[in-house]
Amino acid sequence: MNEFTPELFELIDQYGNKRCFELVSAVEMNGEQYYAMLPAIEDENFLDVDLELVILKVVEENGEEVLASIDDDSEFEEVSRYFDEYIQQIYEDEEY
């Protein structure tokens, strides 16, 4: 995979709906793995769409690694802060 090919994940929510997400970044913090993702947009007007960053945690379920929401508020705040700063740094670097 080259740097311009997005890494896509098809995720299934608690209602059984499938959605495609693009990986923005991944980080390991405090021994846990976290992914920041954006919904994959397959629309020519993608610049007009508001996207919300989705942050998920890798957990083991039935001996298999799966992505899950973060239930602990302080854990979520810490990880969100990291990804917010990471994304802000990317945009600052691109301005030069």
Side-chain angles (χ1 to χ4, degrees):
M1 181 179 307
N2 67 44
E3 66 180 276
F4 300 110
T5 303
E7 189 169 351
L8 300 176
F9 290 78
E10 185 175 77
L11 303 178
I12 302 171
D13 66 15
Q14 67 266 27
Y15 306 109
N17 301 316
K18 292 181 182 179
R19 291 187 56 202
C20 192
F21 288 84
E22 180 178 340
L23 180 65
V24 174
S25 182
V27 66
E28 184 175 325
M29 296 176 70
N30 304 320
E32 303 287 350
Q33 185 75 27
Y34 301 94
Y35 288 2
M37 301 179 163
L38 289 172
I41 304 298
E42 298 177 14
D43 185 339
E44 60 191 41
N45 297 320
F46 69 94
L47 293 176
D48 297 328
V49 176
D50 288 331
L51 298 176
E52 186 172 327
L53 190 67
V54 175
I55 300 172
L56 300 170
K57 178 179 182 176
V58 177
V59 297
E60 189 171 315
E61 195 173 276
N62 298 323
E64 185 176 316
E65 287 187 344
V66 296
L67 297 174
S69 59
I70 302 170
D71 296 330
D72 181 270
D73 290 339
S74 62
E75 178 184 14
F76 182 79
E77 288 299 320
E78 179 183 5
V79 176
S80 294
R81 194 172 23 258
Y82 169 84
F83 283 122
D84 286 343
E85 291 171 4
Y86 172 81
I87 290 170
Q88 183 177 359
Q89 185 64 45
I90 289 173
Y91 285 117
E92 288 174 2
D93 290 346
E94 287 182 0
E95 290 178 0
Y96 295 107

